[in-house]
Amino acid sequence: MMLNEKNLNFAGQSISPKPFTTRPVTYQHRSQDSHPTVFADIYQSEINIAIWQRKLATTLQNSVKTFLALNPTFQTKMILTPQDALSRVSESFNNNMAEVSEDIAELVDMFCYLFELKEAALRLKVLDQAMCPKFHVDRVPCRLVTTYQSIASQWLPHEVLNYTKLGWGSNGLSDSESGLYQSESNIQQLGCGDVALFKGTLWEGNENAGLVHRSPVVPANEKRLVLTLDF
């Protein structure tokens, strides 16, 4: 699964992971950029989240808003290949939301290329409440997450965490009371449209450093549309 020495090609650009010292990061364990080539940084041992920062086109946002108004409980799961992703996602939308379908197909292609996968597991779901409201880590090698409408996922930098307070270690207390993190200001949040790779505990060598994250509270009368891709 390790591609450190390989060049990666996104959107026709051949790249290789950049040295850690040249990346614009605020916290250790995060890498972010306005180009999807940032995904290659997930192969660096000190990185457990790689964020492609982007703004969604207005036309795409409008099509999502219209679709969710007509399909407020939409959800789908499927196993996709880069070759069939566009047609199958389009079918799930009844051939509406062409821009979203094309975007998802591109993300499937990137995800499979980056990790040398023949297929990916997709979940796409409308939410009106937090799906996973407590901070947690995923028992996966790596998960791609993006939000097409409303508030996006929250996460905690590795160095502010007390991992012993996760799960049962919280002794039934809320995240804010358990001592899991030091201050509310520690909580980081993706932007709507950002695409992030969350490194999980099944990534080799990352057993005790999976990204700690949670679903946000959805504002009243809003709907989230969230996409995840898994191995």
Side-chain angles (χ1 to χ4, degrees):
M1 188 177 73
M2 305 307 290
L3 298 180
N4 301 52
E5 302 303 321
K6 290 189 177 183
N7 287 341
L8 303 175
N9 188 295
F10 291 145
Q13 297 190 36
S14 181
I15 64 149
S16 57
K18 296 172 286 184
F20 178 67
T21 55
T22 66
R23 277 198 311 278
V25 295
T26 303
Y27 293 98
Q28 187 183 12
H29 301 291
R30 167 175 65 182
S31 183
Q32 62 186 37
D33 203 286
S34 59
H35 195 277
T37 51
V38 71
F39 289 157
D41 289 351
I42 203 67
Y43 276 98
Q44 299 190 38
S45 60
E46 69 271 22
I47 297 298
N48 67 1
I49 180 172
I51 307 169
W52 173 22
Q53 296 176 303
R54 62 175 190 165
K55 297 294 185 182
L56 297 173
T58 300
T59 51
L60 186 151
Q61 294 179 58
N62 289 339
S63 67
V64 171
K65 184 176 181 180
T66 300
F67 183 83
L68 296 194
L70 297 173
N71 302 272
T73 61
F74 174 84
Q75 59 180 304
T76 187
K77 296 180 182 180
M78 60 185 86
I79 305 297
L80 299 172
T81 69
Q83 295 74 32
D84 68 14
L86 180 58
S87 61
R88 294 187 60 203
V89 171
S90 295
E91 287 176 10
S92 74
F93 291 140
N94 295 319
N95 296 315
N96 295 309
M97 297 216 296
E99 281 187 88
V100 178
S101 299
E102 291 170 3
D103 189 72
I104 292 173
E106 182 178 31
L107 294 178
V108 171
D109 187 53
M110 289 181 178
F111 189 76
C112 289
Y113 182 85
L114 181 66
F115 297 116
E116 297 183 319
L117 305 173
K118 293 183 178 180
E119 57 188 18
L122 172 147
R123 289 187 302 167
L124 189 62
K125 188 172 185 178
V126 177
L127 299 170
D128 58 9
Q129 57 186 346
M131 183 168 58
C132 302
K134 290 205 72 173
F135 278 112
H136 63 282
V137 295
D138 293 329
R139 286 186 54 78
V140 298
C142 193
R143 172 170 289 160
L144 181 148
V145 179
T146 191
T147 300
Y148 285 103
Q149 179 170 287
S150 191
I151 192 167
S153 302
Q154 297 174 327
W155 58 279
L156 289 167
H158 186 81
E159 70 274 13
V160 305
L161 286 167
N162 181 345
Y163 260 80
T164 66
K165 302 299 183 179
L166 277 175
W168 291 106
S170 69
N171 292 319
L173 297 175
S174 68
D175 291 329
S176 61
E177 298 172 318
S178 68
L180 175 65
Y181 54 88
Q182 301 165 15
S183 166
E184 292 295 312
S185 63
N186 295 144
I187 300 173
Q188 307 294 297
Q189 188 145 26
L190 299 175
C192 182
D194 288 351
V195 185
L197 294 176
F198 294 176
K199 190 181 286 182
T201 58
L202 296 187
W203 182 286
E204 185 178 354
N206 199 59
E207 292 79 8
N208 298 310
L211 184 82
V212 175
H213 62 282
R214 71 180 179 189
S215 300
V217 175
V218 182
N221 302 315
E222 283 194 20
K223 301 282 188 181
R224 292 182 73 207
L225 180 61
V226 183
L227 168 75
T228 63
L229 295 178
D230 284 298
F231 287 26

